[in-house]
Amino acid sequence: MRKSLALAAIPALIVSAVAGTPAVAETQQAPVDVALEWYDVTAATITAAGAPTQVTNNRTWAIGWLAAARALTGTPNSDAAFGDAALSGAIHETLVTLIPARKPELDQSLAATLARIPDGTAETAGVAAGRREARTVLAARTGDGLDPASVNAPFTPPSADPGIWRPTPPTFSPATQYGNRLAKPFVLQRPDQFRLAPPPKLGSPRYNRDLAEVKADGAANSTTRTQTQTDTATFWLGSSYVLYTAPLRVAVDEAARRPLSERAKLVALFHVASVDTQIATSDTKYAYLRWRPVTAIQAAGTADWSPLHNTPAHPDYPSGHNTYSGAAEQVLTTLVGARTAKPYTIGSPSAPGATRTYSNWRQLTLENVDARVWSGIHTRTADTAGVTLGRQVAAYALQNADRLFR
């Protein structure tokens, strides 16, 4: 389901960069913004033929835009021809290598970009620099354990003891994302570097409060959840990667007056942090193996209880949606500021036709925390701990960013 939603949704998600106006409002006279042009090419390419695993798609973004940022590092701001050629060359080389099925479309996109650049040394050198950096990064990431088969490496629960994760209804699917904790991070020294403290003990006051909240507000037939809360849960149900593609594009657009190298670094660091956060998330999830609310509630005597939305096939603590939102908020706030210059509007693949308008990044995080409780698939502790973990990983990635661009 998530794969099909992701492959259908990205273009529709970028509803507007300013409420009431198109996200890309070019005139024939306006110069093409190469950063946004290749942002959209990357998104469209992954939408059409990307991997079925979220972290693999984040990895593709991270490699392409990291290569572009490296090729641009030290380039004079006035050398637009070199910069545009280097960025497009780096991302083209990455995407053609990782998603070869889209080569005809990618070749066409590259040709369109290069047709606007005057022929000469700057153009030739820029493309060569971009391709060279892409090949270097691709080589360094070979065998990093972020391919779909490695991400979903087999995992067998060690026991059926209370508190231990087990497959959940209605499909009782095998565990997913176990292999993330075995993958090679971009910046983290090791996957467990920011491992969270253990979740609340079974039967503790906090555990009981968490479970009571999910049981009441996250039930499929809840009488306490409002329609607004149901709408929020449904809006944020889909892939975090898909849902955050639009906000990141807004940030890249708002940074239009900054050097192209800084904008490339923004995209690269966002996805580097996303990858490392997902690695750290799976490390904590599979270190503690906390069972999901549906399992806990049914085991406590309410055998017919079911959540509003089906439960993903991996442990509860922490929430992956919220580690992603915490990392995203940290990167965007640090690099472009807490608030946007103008409101922006996004849509959701899991709520067709619905849109929401924001003027900051924090509200997205807050809604993600509530949404997973109201969906009945996470405890609030798993959500808030997830935000903390995402912020910690992203802050570390930003603090050590210079290592990526040497």
Side-chain angles (χ1 to χ4, degrees):
M1 173 182 176
R2 289 190 175 184
K3 179 183 179 183
S4 61
L5 289 174
L7 296 183
I10 289 181
L13 290 183
I14 307 175
V15 178
S16 68
V18 181
T21 65
V24 181
E26 296 177 356
T27 65
Q28 291 182 347
Q29 294 77 26
V32 176
D33 184 329
V34 73
L36 292 180
E37 179 183 35
W38 280 89
Y39 189 97
D40 293 341
V41 168
T42 309
T45 300
I46 293 175
T47 298
T53 43
Q54 174 175 279
V55 71
T56 310
N57 292 325
N58 287 121
R59 172 187 185 268
T60 298
W61 279 88
I63 290 173
W65 287 79
L66 176 56
R70 286 183 175 183
L72 291 164
T73 299
T75 303
N77 295 340
S78 59
D79 198 349
F82 178 93
D84 289 359
L87 184 140
S88 57
I91 299 171
H92 174 272
E93 182 74 18
T94 300
L95 295 177
V96 166
T97 302
L98 297 177
I99 311 178
R102 298 294 292 178
K103 187 177 187 303
E105 293 82 0
L106 291 164
D107 287 349
Q108 186 175 19
S109 295
L110 180 61
T113 301
L114 297 182
R116 300 192 307 267
I117 302 173
D119 293 338
T121 303
E123 179 189 46
T124 303
V127 172
R131 287 177 172 161
R132 181 173 60 252
E133 292 294 347
R135 291 166 184 158
T136 298
V137 181
L138 284 163
R141 297 303 303 181
T142 299
D144 60 8
L146 292 169
D147 59 283
S150 297
V151 166
N152 288 328
F155 173 79
T156 302
S159 73
D161 292 344
I164 300 298
W165 180 87
R166 66 192 71 166
T168 53
T171 61
F172 297 94
S173 300
T176 60
Q177 301 178 10
Y178 171 73
N180 278 353
R181 73 190 304 235
L182 309 175
K184 174 185 175 182
F186 275 87
V187 181
L188 290 181
Q189 296 177 356
R190 59 186 191 279
D192 66 350
Q193 186 172 344
F194 291 99
R195 182 180 291 176
L196 294 168
K201 292 182 178 180
L202 300 187
S204 67
R206 186 172 183 181
Y207 174 86
N208 291 337
R209 287 196 303 271
D210 276 344
L211 215 57
E213 180 184 22
V214 179
K215 183 178 180 180
D217 297 343
N221 59 353
S222 173
T223 59
T224 59
R225 186 182 60 247
T226 68
Q227 185 60 51
T228 298
Q229 292 171 337
T230 300
D231 292 343
T232 297
T234 301
F235 189 91
W236 289 104
L237 180 62
S239 158
S240 294
Y241 158 71
V242 174
L243 286 161
Y244 273 90
T245 296
L248 177 57
R249 190 188 191 282
V250 171
V252 175
D253 189 23
E254 290 213 343
R257 294 187 179 183
R258 299 187 187 183
L260 187 58
S261 59
E262 288 189 19
R263 300 172 79 197
K265 287 180 180 179
L266 167 61
V267 179
L269 288 169
F270 182 97
H271 286 283
V272 162
S274 297
V275 169
D276 281 13
T277 293
Q278 289 171 81
I279 291 172
T281 298
S282 288
D283 172 77
T284 293
K285 277 182 178 289
Y286 285 96
Y288 299 121
L289 292 172
R290 174 50 56 90
W291 61 5
R292 285 282 187 160
V294 62
T295 308
I297 292 169
Q298 291 183 357
T302 312
D304 61 346
W305 188 91
S306 60
L308 172 64
H309 296 125
N310 287 346
T311 301
H314 41 77
D316 176 60
Y317 179 85
S319 159
H321 264 56
N322 283 289
T323 60
Y324 199 108
S325 64
E329 181 190 348
Q330 185 73 32
V331 171
L332 295 175
T333 299
T334 301
L335 297 184
V336 299
R339 302 186 64 83
T340 55
K342 298 176 182 178
Y344 63 97
T345 302
I346 62 174
S348 166
S350 51
T355 61
R356 294 190 171 214
T357 300
Y358 305 93
S359 57
N360 60 52
W361 319 116
R362 175 65 173 152
Q363 187 60 33
L364 280 63
T365 304
L366 296 175
E367 289 185 16
N368 264 283
V369 169
D370 288 335
R372 305 310 269 178
V373 175
W374 297 334
S375 282
I377 56 183
H378 272 301
T379 60
R380 187 167 294 276
T381 292
D383 293 338
T384 56
V387 172
T388 297
L389 178 60
R391 287 175 177 160
Q392 289 176 331
V393 174
Y396 182 84
L398 293 168
Q399 291 164 3
N400 292 273
D402 286 350
R403 287 166 28 198
L404 294 168
F405 304 112
R406 289 174 181 170

